[in-house]
Amino acid sequence: MTDTPLLKVRGLKIGATIYPPGERPKDIEIVHGVDFDLAPGKVLGLIGESGAGKSTIGLAAMAYGRGGVELTGGEVHVNGRDILQTGVRDVRRLRGAEVTYVSQSAAASFNPAKKIMEQVIEAAVLQKKFNKSDAEARAVELFRKLGLPDPENIGSRYPHQVSGGQLQRCMTALALCPEPDLVVFDEPTTALDVTTQIDVLAAIKDAIRDTGVAALYITHDLAVVAQVSDHIMVLRMGEMVEYGTVDQIINDPQEDYTKALVSVRSIRHEEKQPGDTPILKVENITARYKGTDFDVLKDISVEMYRGQTLAVVGESGSGKSTLARVITGLLPPSAGQITFDGRTLTPDQPTRPLEDLRELQMIYQMADTAMNPRQTVGTIIGRPLEFYFGLKGAEKQKRIQELLDEIELGDGFQDRYPAELSGGQKQRVCIARALAAKPKMIICDEVTSALDPLVADGILKLLLELQKIEDVAYLFITHDLATVKAIADSIAVMFQGEVVRYGPKSQVLSPPFDDYTDLLLSSVPEMKLGWLEEVLEHRKMESAGN
Amino acid sequence: MKNIPISAMIGLFFTGIYFLAAIFAPLIAPYGMAEVVGDVWEPSSSEHLLGTDSIGRDLLTRLIYGGRTTIFIATAATALSFVTGAVLGFFAAVSGGWVDQVLSRFVDLIMSIPSLIFALVVLSVMPTNMITLIILMGLLDSTRVYRLSRAVAVDITVMDYVEAARLRGEKTAWIIFREILPNALSPLVAEVGLRFIFMVLFISTLSFLGLGVQPPQADWGGIVKENKEGINYGIQAALYPAYAIATLCISINLVADWILNRTTSLKGGRG
């Protein structure tokens, strides 16, 4: 590297104080000495699972430690000065002027009471980079560059008046407005739908290229980071695992952990032929929420077979979770009927016989909130056994242990509380609770989307394994097409409350596509260089988030 | 129990003393509860540590027995108000819809009438005995507990684990006592202390006004009432029960504060 790096990090150590229940507070180290350089105008991707320390490192570039986190050692040089040493005044001049930040949730970061323009130019004016009118002119230009509709006037709207994808781009404009040297992007597209993500990603990439700003791009999705970065640093538990160019990391990973990340979602699942009688038949279901005047579900008809998986795919707001609520009886439909294992299900849940409730179980997206934090794993799994089968004492204990073995958790978990489990373990316990009822069908509502890729992979493998043993059918609700490819036998694509495409997996995923399915399929980030440009060239339909 | 702050220690100490004195009153009290043992408003002496009251009864004895009555009524009324208020509040939150509306609006109605006035009206037509007092105070106060428990439970009923229990086919009683109650306990336990103090103040007020505990039964509010004329002559007798009320309230507040801190803070709390 010939010129001096813009950002130079040496031996960065970050610590925090934790407060374990019933013990004295203790200090732990969450980042154990990380080194890297970032040249002007380059993009470095920081990637790792949750808890890897990637956001913490990103914020350290602004000399900031979030919520009790402390920068305990090492050096962070920005434009040649060590910002950990320069003191509060200098750091204040740095933030919002030389280094800016784009957070994951734009919706939570914008002040809902102020207009967008006011917030976008705030830092630039405050840092005396521009006067108000120049800053506004620059903001409009950035809005245009980021592909926002009506760039002249969008600034006079309030944050709730634009869509999630647009707001994320406004936030990028906010970060770029003071002409910083470095922007820290902290998972800027993670909260967005795939079809929206692709546009935001393209906008961010163009903006970075046009303004010549350097960036730290933090994400857990290797395929995303591969599209925008020059270099990638893989982090795990506060330590660097591997550092290299995008090309090298994607095509020739050296470390085992990186290889696992690159090859994630390598599950192969042979499509099963539909049986003769469906276990679940949804016929012409139309539904709306109380007090609203439009149908969330419009004339939905799908079928599922014993021991098979139907994947329902769609973006947020497409009605896929509502479909689950209708099937479980939490939201009675306004028209249509549901047949389960030959019997017609009553529309509302309280009137259903116990047998119907037992045979139709559900697993939730957030395992944290799906388990009572004041009950032990033994109680959580044991309750359905007791409730449906009247098991007691030693017999119940034995069955609980069998179930724990089935979900690969083994001994010693019965007496633990949910707070003492990791995310993946929690989801496994939820699976065991559903299995305890010996169901014929399980509704899986986004069960892997809150988990890290490697952990999610483990859960999917487990679900497939259990399907073979228990012969249970899954209604798999997800927005993630990679998951669908991995486990589905048949697929229903939903868009604005309608099933736009439905059939066996091989048929749904092979051309010719309708416009929406094409958009959805092409928007799933692929782990190869230049994918983004390729897709944008071939698209037939604009994404809904625009 | 190692890291109890000093304020909570003081609170626990005094609260403990008051409760022990209340429980063992017949053993500790030097004289009989209504026994006339001396002259009117005798100053303190070795026989009568706090002197005597307006008709010559031992004041310390009266205070100890008075504490027993006051604390017993306050405790029983608090228990009643929590059981009724919490169960109804949870029930309203879990049921939702018109059940919630009817209960909540009824509670609003009761709360819109100042509870002291309400109590005075009821007590003027009902026989004034301990049972009436406890039921009246308990039910009036349960409206406050209802509000709190409903608010807490509404947040909990939308959790997926409650939905999971419903989908399993569980009865409302199970959902209330096994899914919601354990998670709502922290704020409720902290509230118990505060409500208890209001009960002490409430019963003392009623007795002071002559509608609470009836003589010759002793209670702190009643003792103030009996001796209030003495204040004009510089006699301290009416102030001792006032001190007792104040110290008990402050002590319980200190304990309640500490519990509230423990259960709501992200740091030392176990929640």
Side-chain angles (χ1 to χ4, degrees), chain A residues 92-107:
Chain A
R92 200 174 290 155
R93 268 199 292 276
L94 167 104
R95 291 179 190 158
E98 285 170 64
V99 187
T100 55
Y101 179 72
V102 177
S103 74
Q104 174 170 358
S105 170

PDB file of all heavy atoms in Angstrom, chain A residues 92-107:
ATOM      1  N   ARG A  92     -15.510  14.374  18.850  1.00  0.00           N
ATOM      2  CA  ARG A  92     -16.772  15.007  18.468  1.00  0.00           C
ATOM      3  C   ARG A  92     -16.667  15.635  17.084  1.00  0.00           C
ATOM      4  O   ARG A  92     -17.608  15.631  16.316  1.00  0.00           O
ATOM      5  CB  ARG A  92     -17.142  16.059  19.518  1.00  0.00           C
ATOM      6  CG  ARG A  92     -18.603  16.420  19.484  1.00  0.00           C
ATOM      7  CD  ARG A  92     -18.968  17.344  20.600  1.00  0.00           C
ATOM      8  NE  ARG A  92     -18.935  16.685  21.891  1.00  0.00           N
ATOM      9  CZ  ARG A  92     -18.733  17.332  23.029  1.00  0.00           C
ATOM     10  NH1 ARG A  92     -18.502  18.621  23.038  1.00  0.00           N
ATOM     11  NH2 ARG A  92     -18.727  16.680  24.169  1.00  0.00           N
ATOM     12  N   ARG A  93     -15.482  16.190  16.768  1.00  0.00           N
ATOM     13  CA  ARG A  93     -15.300  16.778  15.441  1.00  0.00           C
ATOM     14  C   ARG A  93     -15.239  15.702  14.359  1.00  0.00           C
ATOM     15  O   ARG A  93     -15.571  15.938  13.214  1.00  0.00           O
ATOM     16  CB  ARG A  93     -14.020  17.612  15.410  1.00  0.00           C
ATOM     17  CG  ARG A  93     -14.262  19.069  15.742  1.00  0.00           C
ATOM     18  CD  ARG A  93     -13.125  19.924  15.254  1.00  0.00           C
ATOM     19  NE  ARG A  93     -11.911  19.652  16.001  1.00  0.00           N
ATOM     20  CZ  ARG A  93     -11.621  20.221  17.175  1.00  0.00           C
ATOM     21  NH1 ARG A  93     -12.456  21.081  17.700  1.00  0.00           N
ATOM     22  NH2 ARG A  93     -10.502  19.933  17.798  1.00  0.00           N
ATOM     23  N   LEU A  94     -14.778  14.496  14.780  1.00  0.00           N
ATOM     24  CA  LEU A  94     -14.620  13.393  13.837  1.00  0.00           C
ATOM     25  C   LEU A  94     -15.956  12.785  13.440  1.00  0.00           C
ATOM     26  O   LEU A  94     -16.261  12.582  12.269  1.00  0.00           O
ATOM     27  CB  LEU A  94     -13.733  12.331  14.507  1.00  0.00           C
ATOM     28  CG  LEU A  94     -13.653  10.966  13.863  1.00  0.00           C
ATOM     29  CD1 LEU A  94     -12.342  10.859  13.142  1.00  0.00           C
ATOM     30  CD2 LEU A  94     -13.768   9.869  14.887  1.00  0.00           C
ATOM     31  N   ARG A  95     -16.778  12.530  14.451  1.00  0.00           N
ATOM     32  CA  ARG A  95     -18.059  11.873  14.201  1.00  0.00           C
ATOM     33  C   ARG A  95     -18.977  12.789  13.414  1.00  0.00           C
ATOM     34  O   ARG A  95     -19.135  13.955  13.736  1.00  0.00           O
ATOM     35  CB  ARG A  95     -18.754  11.525  15.515  1.00  0.00           C
ATOM     36  CG  ARG A  95     -18.061  10.450  16.289  1.00  0.00           C
ATOM     37  CD  ARG A  95     -18.803  10.187  17.576  1.00  0.00           C
ATOM     38  NE  ARG A  95     -18.014   9.312  18.428  1.00  0.00           N
ATOM     39  CZ  ARG A  95     -18.178   9.233  19.742  1.00  0.00           C
ATOM     40  NH1 ARG A  95     -19.063   9.979  20.340  1.00  0.00           N
ATOM     41  NH2 ARG A  95     -17.442   8.407  20.441  1.00  0.00           N
ATOM     42  N   GLY A  96     -19.582  12.229  12.386  1.00  0.00           N
ATOM     43  CA  GLY A  96     -20.508  13.022  11.585  1.00  0.00           C
ATOM     44  C   GLY A  96     -19.813  13.918  10.593  1.00  0.00           C
ATOM     45  O   GLY A  96     -20.462  14.621   9.832  1.00  0.00           O
ATOM     46  N   ALA A  97     -18.470  13.931  10.605  1.00  0.00           N
ATOM     47  CA  ALA A  97     -17.759  14.739   9.629  1.00  0.00           C
ATOM     48  C   ALA A  97     -16.805  13.865   8.823  1.00  0.00           C
ATOM     49  O   ALA A  97     -16.897  13.776   7.603  1.00  0.00           O
ATOM     50  CB  ALA A  97     -16.996  15.856  10.323  1.00  0.00           C
ATOM     51  N   GLU A  98     -15.881  13.213   9.538  1.00  0.00           N
ATOM     52  CA  GLU A  98     -14.943  12.336   8.827  1.00  0.00           C
ATOM     53  C   GLU A  98     -15.471  10.916   8.731  1.00  0.00           C
ATOM     54  O   GLU A  98     -15.249  10.217   7.755  1.00  0.00           O
ATOM     55  CB  GLU A  98     -13.593  12.342   9.551  1.00  0.00           C
ATOM     56  CG  GLU A  98     -12.801  13.618   9.332  1.00  0.00           C
ATOM     57  CD  GLU A  98     -11.604  13.679  10.238  1.00  0.00           C
ATOM     58  OE1 GLU A  98     -10.716  12.830  10.091  1.00  0.00           O
ATOM     59  OE2 GLU A  98     -11.563  14.573  11.111  1.00  0.00           O
ATOM     60  N   VAL A  99     -16.118  10.470   9.823  1.00  0.00           N
ATOM     61  CA  VAL A  99     -16.670   9.119   9.835  1.00  0.00           C
ATOM     62  C   VAL A  99     -18.164   9.218  10.129  1.00  0.00           C
ATOM     63  O   VAL A  99     -18.565   9.919  11.042  1.00  0.00           O
ATOM     64  CB  VAL A  99     -15.998   8.251  10.917  1.00  0.00           C
ATOM     65  CG1 VAL A  99     -16.459   6.810  10.792  1.00  0.00           C
ATOM     66  CG2 VAL A  99     -14.491   8.336  10.818  1.00  0.00           C
ATOM     67  N   THR A 100     -18.971   8.511   9.346  1.00  0.00           N
ATOM     68  CA  THR A 100     -20.417   8.505   9.604  1.00  0.00           C
ATOM     69  C   THR A 100     -20.914   7.064   9.662  1.00  0.00           C
ATOM     70  O   THR A 100     -20.177   6.131   9.356  1.00  0.00           O
ATOM     71  CB  THR A 100     -21.193   9.273   8.528  1.00  0.00           C
ATOM     72  OG1 THR A 100     -20.857   8.726   7.264  1.00  0.00           O
ATOM     73  CG2 THR A 100     -20.868  10.744   8.569  1.00  0.00           C
ATOM     74  N   TYR A 101     -22.163   6.915  10.029  1.00  0.00           N
ATOM     75  CA  TYR A 101     -22.673   5.598  10.386  1.00  0.00           C
ATOM     76  C   TYR A 101     -24.064   5.364   9.791  1.00  0.00           C
ATOM     77  O   TYR A 101     -24.902   6.250   9.789  1.00  0.00           O
ATOM     78  CB  TYR A 101     -22.742   5.532  11.919  1.00  0.00           C
ATOM     79  CG  TYR A 101     -23.270   4.259  12.507  1.00  0.00           C
ATOM     80  CD1 TYR A 101     -22.518   3.090  12.481  1.00  0.00           C
ATOM     81  CD2 TYR A 101     -24.517   4.224  13.121  1.00  0.00           C
ATOM     82  CE1 TYR A 101     -22.996   1.915  13.039  1.00  0.00           C
ATOM     83  CE2 TYR A 101     -25.004   3.050  13.683  1.00  0.00           C
ATOM     84  CZ  TYR A 101     -24.237   1.903  13.638  1.00  0.00           C
ATOM     85  OH  TYR A 101     -24.713   0.750  14.202  1.00  0.00           O
ATOM     86  N   VAL A 102     -24.273   4.165   9.253  1.00  0.00           N
ATOM     87  CA  VAL A 102     -25.594   3.766   8.762  1.00  0.00           C
ATOM     88  C   VAL A 102     -26.015   2.543   9.556  1.00  0.00           C
ATOM     89  O   VAL A 102     -25.313   1.539   9.559  1.00  0.00           O
ATOM     90  CB  VAL A 102     -25.559   3.407   7.261  1.00  0.00           C
ATOM     91  CG1 VAL A 102     -26.924   2.915   6.798  1.00  0.00           C
ATOM     92  CG2 VAL A 102     -25.134   4.613   6.453  1.00  0.00           C
ATOM     93  N   SER A 103     -27.145   2.642  10.243  1.00  0.00           N
ATOM     94  CA  SER A 103     -27.504   1.542  11.132  1.00  0.00           C
ATOM     95  C   SER A 103     -28.450   0.565  10.453  1.00  0.00           C
ATOM     96  O   SER A 103     -28.958   0.801   9.363  1.00  0.00           O
ATOM     97  CB  SER A 103     -28.152   2.089  12.397  1.00  0.00           C
ATOM     98  OG  SER A 103     -29.457   2.507  12.093  1.00  0.00           O
ATOM     99  N   GLN A 104     -28.675  -0.552  11.147  1.00  0.00           N
ATOM    100  CA  GLN A 104     -29.490  -1.616  10.567  1.00  0.00           C
ATOM    101  C   GLN A 104     -30.934  -1.186  10.352  1.00  0.00           C
ATOM    102  O   GLN A 104     -31.502  -1.399   9.305  1.00  0.00           O
ATOM    103  CB  GLN A 104     -29.432  -2.829  11.494  1.00  0.00           C
ATOM    104  CG  GLN A 104     -30.366  -3.935  11.042  1.00  0.00           C
ATOM    105  CD  GLN A 104     -30.146  -5.207  11.806  1.00  0.00           C
ATOM    106  OE1 GLN A 104     -29.275  -5.299  12.656  1.00  0.00           O
ATOM    107  NE2 GLN A 104     -30.920  -6.210  11.495  1.00  0.00           N
ATOM    108  N   SER A 105     -31.499  -0.587  11.396  1.00  0.00           N
ATOM    109  CA  SER A 105     -32.903  -0.249  11.279  1.00  0.00           C
ATOM    110  C   SER A 105     -33.080   1.247  11.111  1.00  0.00           C
ATOM    111  O   SER A 105     -33.040   2.006  12.070  1.00  0.00           O
ATOM    112  CB  SER A 105     -33.660  -0.724  12.514  1.00  0.00           C
ATOM    113  OG  SER A 105     -34.957  -0.184  12.487  1.00  0.00           O
ATOM    114  N   ALA A 106     -33.291   1.674   9.868  1.00  0.00           N
ATOM    115  CA  ALA A 106     -33.495   3.096   9.621  1.00  0.00           C
ATOM    116  C   ALA A 106     -34.761   3.575  10.303  1.00  0.00           C
ATOM    117  O   ALA A 106     -34.842   4.687  10.801  1.00  0.00           O
ATOM    118  CB  ALA A 106     -33.572   3.354   8.128  1.00  0.00           C
ATOM    119  N   ALA A 107     -35.762   2.692  10.348  1.00  0.00           N
ATOM    120  CA  ALA A 107     -37.043   3.076  10.938  1.00  0.00           C
ATOM    121  C   ALA A 107     -36.871   3.465  12.402  1.00  0.00           C
ATOM    122  O   ALA A 107     -37.535   4.367  12.897  1.00  0.00           O
ATOM    123  CB  ALA A 107     -38.031   1.936  10.806  1.00  0.00           C
TER     124      ALA A 107
END
